[in-house]
Amino acid sequence: MADWLAAIILGLVEGLTEFIPVSSTGHMLLLGHFLGFESNGKTFEIVIQLGALLAIISVYFKRLWMLATRWPFDPDARRFLIGLLVAFAPAVVIGLLAYDFIKTVLFETPLVICIALIVGGLLLLWLDRMKKVPTFLEADRYPLRVYFLIGLFQCLAMVPGVSRSGATIAGGLLLGTDKRSAAEFSFFLALPTMGSAVAYDLLKSWDRLDFSDTGLIAIGFVTAFLTALAVVRFLLDFVSRHGFAPFAWWRIAVGVAGIVGLALTGGL
């Protein structure tokens, strides 16, 4: 397969999966494995995540600007920012402590990704059918305890295939949030989490980064941005109408297909 076509496909997959609970990392690693595509120093895979992150900033720019400018004198804005930091904190600590193990062991084991996709899909199906009246309906008004516990759930996504958004949404639902606000909070939490993860990846891999394929990186970046933009704009309404079952079944299907593919290619 031509590299430019692989770049488009991977960009589409990154944008489509980054903010829905199906694990963008799991999809990217499995797809890269079967396409035989891997950039030097994983520069391509790291940089195109910024395209998806830019989509969040574009859609929520007005609210982000209000938070940035009003927090010194607006108690509600300040409280939400504190909540985001509280939710983000566990990922900082655990990510720094387990970084090498995650990158060198978990990210290099496709079977782990497939199993995590299937298990996460089954959990999402259970949560989607759970008969529980939500207590918290607005992402910027959760109690600090809920923010912190959602942050702990997010750390589960350090296992590729779990899904960062899936873990935060599942945690929110278990803690009493409704589906729409849980999905929205996962968007906001993506900003510090993904931004710092990408920055740390770039720092740790700086001596191995290769920007010689800037054309391919640009293709993947733009594709990821445009695709993620569409996902972010329509996901909340989709979730409100259909819940998370479609994503759960997709996870299970991809996980099973991945195991079959590994078996057929001798990758088990």
Side-chain angles (χ1 to χ4, degrees), residues 29-78:
L29 291 174
L30 284 176
L31 194 58
H33 174 81
F34 288 115
L35 290 178
F37 181 93
E38 183 176 352
S39 62
N40 293 328
K42 292 192 178 294
T43 307
F44 177 90
E45 292 85 347
I46 294 172
V47 173
I48 66 169
Q49 293 179 69
L50 295 175
L53 197 61
L54 183 61
I56 285 282
I57 296 172
S58 300
V59 172
Y60 285 98
F61 181 79
K62 184 176 180 179
R63 287 181 65 178
L64 291 170
W65 180 254
M66 290 177 62
L67 284 173
T69 56
R70 293 176 58 181
W71 71 266
F73 53 86
D74 185 336
D76 290 336
R78 186 162 56 248

mmCIF file of all heavy atoms in Angstrom, residues 29-78:
data_model
loop_
_atom_site.group_PDB
_atom_site.id
_atom_site.type_symbol
_atom_site.label_atom_id
_atom_site.label_comp_id
_atom_site.label_asym_id
_atom_site.label_seq_id
_atom_site.Cartn_x
_atom_site.Cartn_y
_atom_site.Cartn_z
ATOM 1 N N LEU A 29 -2.560 1.207 16.622
ATOM 2 C CA LEU A 29 -1.506 0.194 16.748
ATOM 3 C C LEU A 29 -1.841 -1.061 15.950
ATOM 4 O O LEU A 29 -0.975 -1.630 15.278
ATOM 5 C CB LEU A 29 -1.290 -0.151 18.223
ATOM 6 C CG LEU A 29 -0.655 0.951 19.090
ATOM 7 C CD1 LEU A 29 -0.640 0.529 20.553
ATOM 8 C CD2 LEU A 29 0.768 1.260 18.613
ATOM 9 N N LEU A 30 -3.094 -1.506 16.033
ATOM 10 C CA LEU A 30 -3.483 -2.695 15.274
ATOM 11 C C LEU A 30 -3.413 -2.443 13.775
ATOM 12 O O LEU A 30 -2.897 -3.273 13.006
ATOM 13 C CB LEU A 30 -4.897 -3.133 15.663
ATOM 14 C CG LEU A 30 -5.072 -3.845 17.008
ATOM 15 C CD1 LEU A 30 -6.545 -4.124 17.265
ATOM 16 C CD2 LEU A 30 -4.279 -5.147 17.038
ATOM 17 N N LEU A 31 -3.926 -1.289 13.347
ATOM 18 C CA LEU A 31 -3.928 -0.972 11.921
ATOM 19 C C LEU A 31 -2.507 -0.814 11.402
ATOM 20 O O LEU A 31 -2.168 -1.306 10.315
ATOM 21 C CB LEU A 31 -4.736 0.299 11.677
ATOM 22 C CG LEU A 31 -5.130 0.609 10.232
ATOM 23 C CD1 LEU A 31 -5.936 -0.543 9.644
ATOM 24 C CD2 LEU A 31 -5.949 1.884 10.166
ATOM 25 N N GLY A 32 -1.670 -0.105 12.182
ATOM 26 C CA GLY A 32 -0.271 0.034 11.787
ATOM 27 C C GLY A 32 0.415 -1.308 11.682
ATOM 28 O O GLY A 32 1.238 -1.548 10.780
ATOM 29 N N HIS A 33 0.071 -2.213 12.593
ATOM 30 C CA HIS A 33 0.661 -3.563 12.586
ATOM 31 C C HIS A 33 0.294 -4.309 11.306
ATOM 32 O O HIS A 33 1.154 -4.892 10.642
ATOM 33 C CB HIS A 33 0.174 -4.327 13.821
ATOM 34 C CG HIS A 33 0.591 -5.768 13.854
ATOM 35 N ND1 HIS A 33 1.845 -6.171 14.265
ATOM 36 C CD2 HIS A 33 -0.082 -6.902 13.512
ATOM 37 C CE1 HIS A 33 1.918 -7.495 14.188
ATOM 38 N NE2 HIS A 33 0.769 -7.956 13.731
ATOM 39 N N PHE A 34 -0.996 -4.273 10.945
ATOM 40 C CA PHE A 34 -1.442 -5.039 9.781
ATOM 41 C C PHE A 34 -1.119 -4.338 8.455
ATOM 42 O O PHE A 34 -0.966 -5.002 7.428
ATOM 43 C CB PHE A 34 -2.946 -5.326 9.884
ATOM 44 C CG PHE A 34 -3.286 -6.345 10.941
ATOM 45 C CD1 PHE A 34 -4.042 -5.989 12.048
ATOM 46 C CD2 PHE A 34 -2.837 -7.649 10.838
ATOM 47 C CE1 PHE A 34 -4.353 -6.916 13.026
ATOM 48 C CE2 PHE A 34 -3.144 -8.593 11.810
ATOM 49 C CZ PHE A 34 -3.901 -8.229 12.914
ATOM 50 N N LEU A 35 -1.002 -3.006 8.473
ATOM 51 C CA LEU A 35 -0.603 -2.286 7.260
ATOM 52 C C LEU A 35 0.902 -2.291 7.063
ATOM 53 O O LEU A 35 1.398 -1.965 5.985
ATOM 54 C CB LEU A 35 -1.096 -0.826 7.318
ATOM 55 C CG LEU A 35 -2.594 -0.565 7.201
ATOM 56 C CD1 LEU A 35 -2.882 0.926 7.332
ATOM 57 C CD2 LEU A 35 -3.138 -1.093 5.883
ATOM 58 N N GLY A 36 1.627 -2.641 8.115
ATOM 59 C CA GLY A 36 3.084 -2.598 8.054
ATOM 60 C C GLY A 36 3.613 -1.180 8.008
ATOM 61 O O GLY A 36 4.687 -0.916 7.477
ATOM 62 N N PHE A 37 2.846 -0.233 8.590
ATOM 63 C CA PHE A 37 3.237 1.180 8.567
ATOM 64 C C PHE A 37 3.713 1.588 9.946
ATOM 65 O O PHE A 37 2.992 1.481 10.925
ATOM 66 C CB PHE A 37 2.049 2.058 8.157
ATOM 67 C CG PHE A 37 2.368 3.536 8.080
ATOM 68 C CD1 PHE A 37 2.752 4.108 6.879
ATOM 69 C CD2 PHE A 37 2.293 4.336 9.206
ATOM 70 C CE1 PHE A 37 3.038 5.468 6.798
ATOM 71 C CE2 PHE A 37 2.579 5.695 9.149
ATOM 72 C CZ PHE A 37 2.960 6.260 7.939
ATOM 73 N N GLU A 38 4.939 2.079 10.026
ATOM 74 C CA GLU A 38 5.473 2.614 11.279
ATOM 75 C C GLU A 38 6.533 3.646 10.935
ATOM 76 O O GLU A 38 7.528 3.341 10.291
ATOM 77 C CB GLU A 38 6.077 1.507 12.147
ATOM 78 C CG GLU A 38 6.565 2.022 13.494
ATOM 79 C CD GLU A 38 7.073 0.911 14.392
ATOM 80 O OE1 GLU A 38 6.907 -0.267 14.033
ATOM 81 O OE2 GLU A 38 7.655 1.219 15.445
ATOM 82 N N SER A 39 6.305 4.881 11.346
ATOM 83 C CA SER A 39 7.251 5.945 11.037
ATOM 84 C C SER A 39 8.457 5.866 11.957
ATOM 85 O O SER A 39 8.404 5.289 13.044
ATOM 86 C CB SER A 39 6.576 7.310 11.189
ATOM 87 O OG SER A 39 6.159 7.506 12.524
ATOM 88 N N ASN A 40 9.560 6.471 11.515
ATOM 89 C CA ASN A 40 10.758 6.498 12.343
ATOM 90 C C ASN A 40 10.495 7.290 13.614
ATOM 91 O O ASN A 40 10.058 8.437 13.563
ATOM 92 C CB ASN A 40 11.923 7.142 11.564
ATOM 93 C CG ASN A 40 12.369 6.292 10.390
ATOM 94 O OD1 ASN A 40 12.288 5.065 10.439
ATOM 95 N ND2 ASN A 40 12.817 6.930 9.328
ATOM 96 N N GLY A 41 10.774 6.642 14.748
ATOM 97 C CA GLY A 41 10.541 7.309 16.027
ATOM 98 C C GLY A 41 9.076 7.555 16.314
ATOM 99 O O GLY A 41 8.739 8.303 17.229
ATOM 100 N N LYS A 42 8.186 6.921 15.535
ATOM 101 C CA LYS A 42 6.734 7.100 15.675
ATOM 102 C C LYS A 42 6.333 8.580 15.585
ATOM 103 O O LYS A 42 5.359 9.017 16.196
ATOM 104 C CB LYS A 42 6.230 6.477 16.985
ATOM 105 C CG LYS A 42 6.329 4.955 17.006
ATOM 106 C CD LYS A 42 5.557 4.368 18.164
ATOM 107 C CE LYS A 42 5.612 2.845 18.147
ATOM 108 N NZ LYS A 42 4.920 2.251 17.001
ATOM 109 N N THR A 43 7.081 9.355 14.801
ATOM 110 C CA THR A 43 6.786 10.781 14.648
ATOM 111 C C THR A 43 5.388 10.996 14.093
ATOM 112 O O THR A 43 4.633 11.840 14.591
ATOM 113 C CB THR A 43 7.818 11.436 13.706
ATOM 114 O OG1 THR A 43 9.131 11.138 14.172
ATOM 115 C CG2 THR A 43 7.621 12.944 13.665
ATOM 116 N N PHE A 44 5.046 10.254 13.059
ATOM 117 C CA PHE A 44 3.726 10.390 12.434
ATOM 118 C C PHE A 44 2.620 10.132 13.448
ATOM 119 O O PHE A 44 1.689 10.933 13.591
ATOM 120 C CB PHE A 44 3.612 9.404 11.262
ATOM 121 C CG PHE A 44 2.266 9.395 10.592
ATOM 122 C CD1 PHE A 44 2.001 10.241 9.532
ATOM 123 C CD2 PHE A 44 1.262 8.536 11.020
ATOM 124 C CE1 PHE A 44 0.757 10.236 8.909
ATOM 125 C CE2 PHE A 44 0.019 8.522 10.413
ATOM 126 C CZ PHE A 44 -0.230 9.378 9.350
ATOM 127 N N GLU A 45 2.738 9.003 14.164
ATOM 128 C CA GLU A 45 1.694 8.613 15.102
ATOM 129 C C GLU A 45 1.521 9.629 16.236
ATOM 130 O O GLU A 45 0.409 9.845 16.724
ATOM 131 C CB GLU A 45 2.006 7.232 15.693
ATOM 132 C CG GLU A 45 1.923 6.087 14.693
ATOM 133 C CD GLU A 45 3.216 5.891 13.896
ATOM 134 O OE1 GLU A 45 4.092 6.792 13.926
ATOM 135 O OE2 GLU A 45 3.350 4.851 13.245
ATOM 136 N N ILE A 46 2.622 10.253 16.642
ATOM 137 C CA ILE A 46 2.564 11.232 17.728
ATOM 138 C C ILE A 46 1.939 12.545 17.247
ATOM 139 O O ILE A 46 1.034 13.093 17.867
ATOM 140 C CB ILE A 46 3.974 11.493 18.309
ATOM 141 C CG1 ILE A 46 4.507 10.237 18.996
ATOM 142 C CG2 ILE A 46 3.946 12.654 19.293
ATOM 143 C CD1 ILE A 46 5.967 10.339 19.424
ATOM 144 N N VAL A 47 2.431 13.047 16.103
ATOM 145 C CA VAL A 47 2.048 14.387 15.661
ATOM 146 C C VAL A 47 0.591 14.459 15.217
ATOM 147 O O VAL A 47 -0.085 15.469 15.466
ATOM 148 C CB VAL A 47 2.984 14.866 14.532
ATOM 149 C CG1 VAL A 47 2.488 16.190 13.948
ATOM 150 C CG2 VAL A 47 4.406 15.038 15.067
ATOM 151 N N ILE A 48 0.071 13.405 14.586
ATOM 152 C CA ILE A 48 -1.309 13.514 14.080
ATOM 153 C C ILE A 48 -2.325 13.597 15.221
ATOM 154 O O ILE A 48 -3.451 14.051 15.006
ATOM 155 C CB ILE A 48 -1.681 12.374 13.110
ATOM 156 C CG1 ILE A 48 -1.722 11.026 13.811
ATOM 157 C CG2 ILE A 48 -0.753 12.355 11.917
ATOM 158 C CD1 ILE A 48 -2.354 9.941 12.939
ATOM 159 N N GLN A 49 -1.927 13.183 16.431
ATOM 160 C CA GLN A 49 -2.831 13.345 17.575
ATOM 161 C C GLN A 49 -3.126 14.824 17.823
ATOM 162 O O GLN A 49 -4.192 15.178 18.331
ATOM 163 C CB GLN A 49 -2.221 12.727 18.825
ATOM 164 C CG GLN A 49 -2.092 11.215 18.773
ATOM 165 C CD GLN A 49 -1.464 10.679 20.043
ATOM 166 O OE1 GLN A 49 -2.068 10.716 21.118
ATOM 167 N NE2 GLN A 49 -0.252 10.178 19.944
ATOM 168 N N LEU A 50 -2.166 15.682 17.472
ATOM 169 C CA LEU A 50 -2.371 17.119 17.641
ATOM 170 C C LEU A 50 -3.490 17.620 16.734
ATOM 171 O O LEU A 50 -4.167 18.598 17.050
ATOM 172 C CB LEU A 50 -1.078 17.880 17.355
ATOM 173 C CG LEU A 50 0.078 17.613 18.329
ATOM 174 C CD1 LEU A 50 1.336 18.327 17.861
ATOM 175 C CD2 LEU A 50 -0.294 18.064 19.736
ATOM 176 N N GLY A 51 -3.683 16.959 15.598
ATOM 177 C CA GLY A 51 -4.789 17.329 14.713
ATOM 178 C C GLY A 51 -6.127 17.090 15.386
ATOM 179 O O GLY A 51 -7.031 17.932 15.322
ATOM 180 N N ALA A 52 -6.259 15.938 16.058
ATOM 181 C CA ALA A 52 -7.492 15.641 16.787
ATOM 182 C C ALA A 52 -7.676 16.612 17.942
ATOM 183 O O ALA A 52 -8.793 17.076 18.217
ATOM 184 C CB ALA A 52 -7.463 14.202 17.297
ATOM 185 N N LEU A 53 -6.588 16.951 18.617
ATOM 186 C CA LEU A 53 -6.664 17.886 19.745
ATOM 187 C C LEU A 53 -7.101 19.272 19.269
ATOM 188 O O LEU A 53 -7.890 19.948 19.932
ATOM 189 C CB LEU A 53 -5.299 17.972 20.425
ATOM 190 C CG LEU A 53 -5.252 18.560 21.840
ATOM 191 C CD1 LEU A 53 -6.095 17.722 22.784
ATOM 192 C CD2 LEU A 53 -3.825 18.643 22.332
ATOM 193 N N LEU A 54 -6.616 19.679 18.107
ATOM 194 C CA LEU A 54 -6.999 20.975 17.550
ATOM 195 C C LEU A 54 -8.500 21.033 17.263
ATOM 196 O O LEU A 54 -9.120 22.101 17.352
ATOM 197 C CB LEU A 54 -6.198 21.241 16.272
ATOM 198 C CG LEU A 54 -6.425 22.592 15.588
ATOM 199 C CD1 LEU A 54 -6.049 23.740 16.525
ATOM 200 C CD2 LEU A 54 -5.596 22.676 14.296
ATOM 201 N N ALA A 55 -9.087 19.889 16.940
ATOM 202 C CA ALA A 55 -10.529 19.848 16.682
ATOM 203 C C ALA A 55 -11.315 20.215 17.944
ATOM 204 O O ALA A 55 -12.291 20.967 17.880
ATOM 205 C CB ALA A 55 -10.934 18.460 16.191
ATOM 206 N N ILE A 56 -10.897 19.691 19.093
ATOM 207 C CA ILE A 56 -11.553 20.028 20.360
ATOM 208 C C ILE A 56 -11.451 21.525 20.628
ATOM 209 O O ILE A 56 -12.424 22.186 21.008
ATOM 210 C CB ILE A 56 -10.897 19.252 21.520
ATOM 211 C CG1 ILE A 56 -11.320 17.790 21.486
ATOM 212 C CG2 ILE A 56 -11.274 19.867 22.869
ATOM 213 C CD1 ILE A 56 -12.702 17.536 22.016
ATOM 214 N N ILE A 57 -10.254 22.081 20.439
ATOM 215 C CA ILE A 57 -10.034 23.509 20.678
ATOM 216 C C ILE A 57 -10.915 24.342 19.759
ATOM 217 O O ILE A 57 -11.489 25.365 20.172
ATOM 218 C CB ILE A 57 -8.550 23.861 20.484
ATOM 219 C CG1 ILE A 57 -7.703 23.140 21.535
ATOM 220 C CG2 ILE A 57 -8.323 25.369 20.577
ATOM 221 C CD1 ILE A 57 -6.201 23.266 21.311
ATOM 222 N N SER A 58 -11.063 23.919 18.513
ATOM 223 C CA SER A 58 -11.878 24.664 17.546
ATOM 224 C C SER A 58 -13.348 24.686 17.944
ATOM 225 O O SER A 58 -13.998 25.732 17.911
ATOM 226 C CB SER A 58 -11.732 24.048 16.151
ATOM 227 O OG SER A 58 -10.384 24.085 15.716
ATOM 228 N N VAL A 59 -13.872 23.523 18.321
ATOM 229 C CA VAL A 59 -15.296 23.423 18.644
ATOM 230 C C VAL A 59 -15.627 24.143 19.950
ATOM 231 O O VAL A 59 -16.664 24.808 20.068
ATOM 232 C CB VAL A 59 -15.724 21.942 18.731
ATOM 233 C CG1 VAL A 59 -17.153 21.824 19.253
ATOM 234 C CG2 VAL A 59 -15.610 21.281 17.366
ATOM 235 N N TYR A 60 -14.731 24.036 20.928
ATOM 236 C CA TYR A 60 -15.003 24.609 22.251
ATOM 237 C C TYR A 60 -14.204 25.881 22.505
ATOM 238 O O TYR A 60 -14.018 26.265 23.669
ATOM 239 C CB TYR A 60 -14.686 23.580 23.341
ATOM 240 C CG TYR A 60 -15.723 22.492 23.441
ATOM 241 C CD1 TYR A 60 -15.516 21.256 22.831
ATOM 242 C CD2 TYR A 60 -16.915 22.699 24.127
ATOM 243 C CE1 TYR A 60 -16.468 20.255 22.918
ATOM 244 C CE2 TYR A 60 -17.873 21.713 24.212
ATOM 245 C CZ TYR A 60 -17.647 20.482 23.608
ATOM 246 O OH TYR A 60 -18.595 19.498 23.687
ATOM 247 N N PHE A 61 -13.779 26.558 21.444
ATOM 248 C CA PHE A 61 -12.922 27.727 21.625
ATOM 249 C C PHE A 61 -13.581 28.801 22.494
ATOM 250 O O PHE A 61 -12.946 29.379 23.383
ATOM 251 C CB PHE A 61 -12.541 28.323 20.264
ATOM 252 C CG PHE A 61 -11.641 29.524 20.386
ATOM 253 C CD1 PHE A 61 -10.287 29.365 20.622
ATOM 254 C CD2 PHE A 61 -12.163 30.809 20.300
ATOM 255 C CE1 PHE A 61 -9.453 30.466 20.757
ATOM 256 C CE2 PHE A 61 -11.335 31.920 20.428
ATOM 257 C CZ PHE A 61 -9.973 31.743 20.656
ATOM 258 N N LYS A 62 -14.850 29.062 22.242
ATOM 259 C CA LYS A 62 -15.524 30.125 22.995
ATOM 260 C C LYS A 62 -15.557 29.809 24.483
ATOM 261 O O LYS A 62 -15.244 30.672 25.323
ATOM 262 C CB LYS A 62 -16.936 30.315 22.459
ATOM 263 C CG LYS A 62 -17.688 31.474 23.110
ATOM 264 C CD LYS A 62 -19.061 31.674 22.479
ATOM 265 C CE LYS A 62 -19.796 32.837 23.140
ATOM 266 N NZ LYS A 62 -21.147 33.045 22.507
ATOM 267 N N ARG A 63 -15.920 28.576 24.827
ATOM 268 C CA ARG A 63 -15.979 28.199 26.243
ATOM 269 C C ARG A 63 -14.583 28.167 26.865
ATOM 270 O O ARG A 63 -14.402 28.564 28.016
ATOM 271 C CB ARG A 63 -16.665 26.842 26.406
ATOM 272 C CG ARG A 63 -18.157 26.910 26.168
ATOM 273 C CD ARG A 63 -18.822 25.576 26.349
ATOM 274 N NE ARG A 63 -18.745 25.092 27.719
ATOM 275 C CZ ARG A 63 -19.299 23.945 28.113
ATOM 276 N NH1 ARG A 63 -19.966 23.193 27.247
ATOM 277 N NH2 ARG A 63 -19.193 23.556 29.373
ATOM 278 N N LEU A 64 -13.609 27.712 26.111
ATOM 279 C CA LEU A 64 -12.243 27.677 26.619
ATOM 280 C C LEU A 64 -11.711 29.091 26.849
ATOM 281 O O LEU A 64 -11.011 29.348 27.842
ATOM 282 C CB LEU A 64 -11.334 26.916 25.641
ATOM 283 C CG LEU A 64 -11.591 25.415 25.527
ATOM 284 C CD1 LEU A 64 -10.799 24.831 24.361
ATOM 285 C CD2 LEU A 64 -11.212 24.699 26.824
ATOM 286 N N TRP A 65 -12.044 29.979 25.930
ATOM 287 C CA TRP A 65 -11.607 31.379 26.076
ATOM 288 C C TRP A 65 -12.258 32.011 27.305
ATOM 289 O O TRP A 65 -11.600 32.747 28.055
ATOM 290 C CB TRP A 65 -11.958 32.161 24.824
ATOM 291 C CG TRP A 65 -11.547 33.613 24.897
ATOM 292 C CD1 TRP A 65 -12.366 34.692 25.083
ATOM 293 C CD2 TRP A 65 -10.219 34.132 24.805
ATOM 294 N NE1 TRP A 65 -11.636 35.853 25.109
ATOM 295 C CE2 TRP A 65 -10.302 35.533 24.944
ATOM 296 C CE3 TRP A 65 -8.966 33.543 24.614
ATOM 297 C CZ2 TRP A 65 -9.192 36.360 24.901
ATOM 298 C CZ3 TRP A 65 -7.848 34.361 24.575
ATOM 299 C CH2 TRP A 65 -7.963 35.751 24.718
ATOM 300 N N MET A 66 -13.532 31.727 27.519
ATOM 301 C CA MET A 66 -14.218 32.250 28.700
ATOM 302 C C MET A 66 -13.581 31.717 29.981
ATOM 303 O O MET A 66 -13.392 32.458 30.955
ATOM 304 C CB MET A 66 -15.698 31.888 28.648
ATOM 305 C CG MET A 66 -16.491 32.639 27.579
ATOM 306 S SD MET A 66 -18.221 32.113 27.489
ATOM 307 C CE MET A 66 -18.793 32.567 29.129
ATOM 308 N N LEU A 67 -13.237 30.433 29.997
ATOM 309 C CA LEU A 67 -12.586 29.862 31.174
ATOM 310 C C LEU A 67 -11.239 30.527 31.426
ATOM 311 O O LEU A 67 -10.882 30.852 32.560
ATOM 312 C CB LEU A 67 -12.387 28.354 30.992
ATOM 313 C CG LEU A 67 -13.606 27.460 31.165
ATOM 314 C CD1 LEU A 67 -13.269 26.030 30.783
ATOM 315 C CD2 LEU A 67 -14.106 27.506 32.602
ATOM 316 N N ALA A 68 -10.487 30.732 30.340
ATOM 317 C CA ALA A 68 -9.142 31.293 30.469
ATOM 318 C C ALA A 68 -9.166 32.745 30.931
ATOM 319 O O ALA A 68 -8.246 33.193 31.622
ATOM 320 C CB ALA A 68 -8.408 31.182 29.130
ATOM 321 N N THR A 69 -10.196 33.475 30.548
ATOM 322 C CA THR A 69 -10.236 34.902 30.871
ATOM 323 C C THR A 69 -11.050 35.225 32.125
ATOM 324 O O THR A 69 -10.840 36.276 32.747
ATOM 325 C CB THR A 69 -10.814 35.709 29.689
ATOM 326 O OG1 THR A 69 -12.103 35.184 29.351
ATOM 327 C CG2 THR A 69 -9.892 35.611 28.478
ATOM 328 N N ARG A 70 -11.966 34.314 32.504
ATOM 329 C CA ARG A 70 -12.856 34.633 33.616
ATOM 330 C C ARG A 70 -12.496 33.951 34.934
ATOM 331 O O ARG A 70 -13.035 34.312 35.980
ATOM 332 C CB ARG A 70 -14.299 34.258 33.237
ATOM 333 C CG ARG A 70 -14.881 35.122 32.111
ATOM 334 C CD ARG A 70 -16.265 34.660 31.700
ATOM 335 N NE ARG A 70 -17.192 34.661 32.817
ATOM 336 C CZ ARG A 70 -18.464 34.285 32.727
ATOM 337 N NH1 ARG A 70 -18.943 33.880 31.558
ATOM 338 N NH2 ARG A 70 -19.243 34.310 33.776
ATOM 339 N N TRP A 71 -11.582 32.963 34.887
ATOM 340 C CA TRP A 71 -11.339 32.206 36.117
ATOM 341 C C TRP A 71 -10.845 33.059 37.297
ATOM 342 O O TRP A 71 -11.159 32.733 38.457
ATOM 343 C CB TRP A 71 -10.373 31.044 35.861
ATOM 344 C CG TRP A 71 -8.941 31.442 35.612
ATOM 345 C CD1 TRP A 71 -8.338 31.645 34.417
ATOM 346 C CD2 TRP A 71 -7.946 31.662 36.610
ATOM 347 N NE1 TRP A 71 -7.032 31.990 34.585
ATOM 348 C CE2 TRP A 71 -6.751 32.004 35.925
ATOM 349 C CE3 TRP A 71 -7.924 31.603 38.008
ATOM 350 C CZ2 TRP A 71 -5.572 32.298 36.595
ATOM 351 C CZ3 TRP A 71 -6.746 31.888 38.679
ATOM 352 C CH2 TRP A 71 -5.588 32.228 37.976
ATOM 353 N N PRO A 72 -10.110 34.174 37.074
ATOM 354 C CA PRO A 72 -9.645 34.924 38.253
ATOM 355 C C PRO A 72 -10.778 35.538 39.085
ATOM 356 O O PRO A 72 -10.623 35.736 40.295
ATOM 357 C CB PRO A 72 -8.758 36.012 37.649
ATOM 358 C CG PRO A 72 -8.348 35.496 36.315
ATOM 359 C CD PRO A 72 -9.555 34.736 35.839
ATOM 360 N N PHE A 73 -11.921 35.827 38.442
ATOM 361 C CA PHE A 73 -12.994 36.499 39.181
ATOM 362 C C PHE A 73 -14.345 35.780 39.100
ATOM 363 O O PHE A 73 -15.334 36.258 39.656
ATOM 364 C CB PHE A 73 -13.166 37.937 38.667
ATOM 365 C CG PHE A 73 -13.361 38.042 37.183
ATOM 366 C CD1 PHE A 73 -14.616 37.929 36.621
ATOM 367 C CD2 PHE A 73 -12.268 38.247 36.340
ATOM 368 C CE1 PHE A 73 -14.795 38.023 35.247
ATOM 369 C CE2 PHE A 73 -12.436 38.344 34.965
ATOM 370 C CZ PHE A 73 -13.707 38.232 34.418
ATOM 371 N N ASP A 74 -14.399 34.631 38.410
ATOM 372 C CA ASP A 74 -15.640 33.874 38.290
ATOM 373 C C ASP A 74 -15.497 32.552 39.056
ATOM 374 O O ASP A 74 -14.761 31.658 38.616
ATOM 375 C CB ASP A 74 -15.943 33.607 36.817
ATOM 376 C CG ASP A 74 -17.291 32.917 36.614
ATOM 377 O OD1 ASP A 74 -17.763 32.254 37.548
ATOM 378 O OD2 ASP A 74 -17.857 33.039 35.515
ATOM 379 N N PRO A 75 -16.184 32.398 40.196
ATOM 380 C CA PRO A 75 -16.042 31.176 41.008
ATOM 381 C C PRO A 75 -16.396 29.898 40.239
ATOM 382 O O PRO A 75 -15.755 28.865 40.429
ATOM 383 C CB PRO A 75 -17.007 31.409 42.175
ATOM 384 C CG PRO A 75 -17.183 32.880 42.242
ATOM 385 C CD PRO A 75 -17.085 33.371 40.825
ATOM 386 N N ASP A 76 -17.413 29.954 39.372
ATOM 387 C CA ASP A 76 -17.822 28.767 38.620
ATOM 388 C C ASP A 76 -16.733 28.337 37.629
ATOM 389 O O ASP A 76 -16.427 27.144 37.495
ATOM 390 C CB ASP A 76 -19.123 29.034 37.869
ATOM 391 C CG ASP A 76 -20.316 29.168 38.801
ATOM 392 O OD1 ASP A 76 -20.251 28.626 39.923
ATOM 393 O OD2 ASP A 76 -21.298 29.834 38.425
ATOM 394 N N ALA A 77 -16.169 29.317 36.909
ATOM 395 C CA ALA A 77 -15.093 29.008 35.969
ATOM 396 C C ALA A 77 -13.879 28.458 36.715
ATOM 397 O O ALA A 77 -13.242 27.495 36.275
ATOM 398 C CB ALA A 77 -14.705 30.256 35.174
ATOM 399 N N ARG A 78 -13.547 29.079 37.835
ATOM 400 C CA ARG A 78 -12.386 28.645 38.625
ATOM 401 C C ARG A 78 -12.598 27.223 39.164
ATOM 402 O O ARG A 78 -11.689 26.403 39.144
ATOM 403 C CB ARG A 78 -12.149 29.624 39.776
ATOM 404 C CG ARG A 78 -10.882 29.343 40.568
ATOM 405 C CD ARG A 78 -10.467 30.557 41.373
ATOM 406 N NE ARG A 78 -11.521 31.030 42.272
ATOM 407 C CZ ARG A 78 -12.149 32.179 42.118
ATOM 408 N NH1 ARG A 78 -11.872 32.975 41.098
ATOM 409 N NH2 ARG A 78 -13.086 32.547 42.992
#
